[in-house]
Each structure stands twice: as C-alpha cells, then as structure tokens.
Amino acid sequence: MIKKQITILTFILLSSLLFAQKKNDKPDNEAVLKEISDGACKCTDSIKLSNKKKEDILKDVHDCIDKRTGALQVSTLLLGAEELSQKAPEVNGKKQINLTFNTNKDSKQYKESYNRIERYLMQNCESVKRATMTSETSYDKFSKNDTALDFYQKAVDASKKEKWKDAIQNYEQAVKADPTFIYAWDNLGICYRRVGEYDKALNAYKQSLAVDPKGKMPLQNIPIAYIYKKEYQKAIDAYNDFDKIYPNDPEVYYGIRTNLLR
C-alpha cells in the first residue's frame, strides 16, 4: 500500500480551499465533483467506438476516470480539512494538518472517488452513455462502409461545433450510404431534435429501432420527442415500450416524473 502524507499549514490550506469562493461560503463538494468529472467526460469524447471489442471500450473509459480519481481524492481531503483543523496540533503557533493520500487502487479512498466520478458520468456524460450502450449491445452499431464512416465523422465534427444543419446533411449522407448504420440514425435524430424537427427526429429513431429493436438510445429519446410535440399520451406509451425492453430502468421513472408529472 502506497500512501503519501500531505502536510499543510493553516494559511496555505485555507487559501487552497477558499479560492473562487465567496466570503463565508463553504467549498462545494458537488462543484468539485462536476469540474473533475467534466474533465473525464472530455477525455471519453475522444474514445473511438468503431471496430473495438467491449473490453477495450470499457478500458478506455476506465483510463479516463482513473486519470482524474487522484484529483478528486485530494480535493475531498482538502474539503474535509477544515473540520480536522479544529483538533489539529499547533506547530510554531500555526496549526498543522496531516492528510493521507492513498494511491493504492484497491483502497477504500480510491474506490469511493472513482465510483463518484463514474456515477456522475453515467448520469451526465453522453459519450460515456454511448460507450456503455456500445459495449452492452450484440449489434454492430457502426458501419463498415468507408463512405458512410467518412460522412459520419464530418457530422460528428459539425455537431461538436453545434452546426446542426451541417451535421444533419452529413448524417443523412451516412445513412444513405449505409441504411443499417445505427449510430448515424441515432445522432441524426438528436440533431433533428436540436433544430425542432421533431417528426424527422422520431423517424430517425424508428429507423434505428428497425435495425436494433432493443436500441436504448432511441427508446430513451422517442418519448422526449413526443413531449416536445406536446403529445403526452404517446410519450407515456413510448416510456412503456422502453420499460418492456428494459424493465425497472430508472430512466423511465425519472423521465415520467420530470417531464409528465409537473
């Protein structure tokens, strides 16, 4: 087991804890988690999903989380140091706090920080959701058609710049070159939703389901499109369809509670 001891004098500790905080505000654990996890999410954005084994995809996601787990460990220690300082001994008139940073990946400290980042990403990071769905499916959601892949990559690049119309044009060309290209259909639906073309978004999701009837992404997004169209009964029916294929998935209850029970 490898441990590193962090010794911090009170005035240094407080300056580290309170930077960017308003006077008398306490540092925000959730804000720190979000900042660190968003960095992990950006890392997973670059993971290539095509023609990769399930274990390789999951390893890449793990690596992105692992690289930022130490930062969350240290931040958590620092955020808890204020309470420790109340009982800390004084050295030369200044309180001294010893914080133990455990680099052992089997340690409770590491696992807790890793799991916090992982849970955040599963709820908030689209690239992690895509990676997880890719590793769970028995279908090949990517195309083996070079032309389709070329248009797909152009569409992804346009989407990152929020150039939705350019993305739509390229996704349309991708599915024209390969009508079974599941991810192109899924992302085409998302882009249509971005520009308010809800009927076209629904059609894209349904085209995806025609190839993979258990596709989680379109099943999740069809009810959202109906909600935007204010067709609430169809949204409820779509959530029920989702629940039939993925029983007890929390997304069903969260979606109904958030969007239909307000």
Side-chain angles (χ1 to χ4, degrees):
M1 181 181 295
I2 302 173
K3 294 184 179 180
K4 296 181 180 179
Q5 200 168 66
I6 307 171
T7 302
I8 306 175
L9 295 180
T10 303
F11 75 95
I12 299 176
L13 174 64
L14 291 177
S15 65
S16 298
L17 284 173
L18 300 178
F19 83 99
Q21 298 289 330
K22 295 180 181 179
K23 189 175 181 180
N24 297 325
D25 280 355
K26 290 185 178 180
D28 190 338
N29 254 305
E30 293 305 313
V32 171
L33 174 63
K34 180 180 184 303
E35 182 177 353
I36 292 173
S37 298
D38 285 347
C41 185
K42 289 180 181 178
C43 172
T44 61
D45 285 341
S46 63
I47 296 175
K48 302 295 183 183
L49 302 178
S50 58
N51 301 317
K52 290 184 73 171
K53 295 180 180 179
K54 169 184 175 179
E55 53 268 27
D56 292 333
I57 294 173
L58 295 178
K59 180 181 181 301
D60 288 344
V61 173
H62 164 78
D63 289 344
C64 286
I65 299 174
D66 175 65
K67 290 175 183 176
R68 286 152 181 85
T69 298
L72 185 59
Q73 285 177 260
V74 172
S75 297
T76 302
L77 287 170
L78 293 175
L79 289 170
E82 182 179 359
E83 182 178 345
L84 292 176
S85 68
Q86 297 174 6
K87 299 179 181 180
E90 290 190 2
V91 177
N92 297 326
K94 296 178 180 178
K95 287 191 174 183
Q96 181 173 290
I97 303 171
N98 294 321
L99 303 176
T100 301
F101 169 42
N102 197 331
T103 61
N104 186 340
K105 294 182 180 181
D106 290 325
S107 68
K108 179 181 178 182
Q109 187 188 89
Y110 173 88
K111 289 180 178 179
E112 286 180 348
S113 292
Y114 181 97
N115 290 336
R116 285 182 67 199
I117 297 173
E118 184 180 55
R119 284 194 298 270
Y120 179 94
L121 295 178
M122 289 299 296
Q123 294 174 0
N124 300 285
C125 180
E126 290 302 321
S127 55
V128 169
K129 292 179 183 179
R130 286 195 297 270
T132 302
M133 286 189 288
T134 300
S135 65
E136 287 178 349
T137 184
S138 60
Y139 287 81
D140 184 356
K141 295 196 174 189
F142 273 89
S143 176
K144 293 181 174 63
N145 183 303
D146 289 339
T147 300
L149 288 171
D150 183 56
F151 280 119
Y152 178 87
Q153 189 56 55
K154 290 178 180 177
V156 170
D157 292 340
S159 294
K160 289 179 179 179
K161 299 175 183 177
E162 298 187 359
K163 296 182 178 180
W164 307 119
K165 292 184 178 180
D166 289 345
I168 286 170
Q169 291 176 357
N170 283 288
Y171 282 131
E172 286 178 337
Q173 291 299 317
V175 296
K176 183 177 180 180
D178 182 358
T180 66
F181 194 166
I182 294 173
Y183 267 128
W185 282 119
D186 289 347
N187 289 325
L188 179 58
I190 291 173
C191 290
Y192 274 135
R193 201 183 84 189
R194 292 280 192 178
V195 298
E197 296 277 1
Y198 304 125
D199 287 329
K200 291 183 178 180
L202 285 166
N203 178 67
Y205 297 141
K206 290 174 182 179
Q207 292 291 339
S208 175
L209 289 175
V211 183
D212 176 7
K214 294 185 178 181
K216 199 169 188 180
M217 186 274 186
L219 287 168
Q220 286 176 320
N221 280 276
I222 285 174
I224 301 299
Y226 279 127
I227 289 167
Y228 279 120
K229 285 169 59 66
K230 298 183 179 180
E231 296 181 11
Y232 301 115
Q233 185 56 54
K234 289 184 178 180
I236 292 171
D237 293 341
Y239 274 124
N240 287 332
D241 290 339
F242 182 17
D243 187 57
K244 289 175 185 177
I245 297 175
Y246 295 97
N248 301 317
D249 190 296
E251 184 68 26
V252 174
Y253 307 107
Y254 176 82
I256 291 175
R257 184 176 68 251
T258 303
N259 299 303
L260 297 172
L261 298 179
R262 292 181 296 179

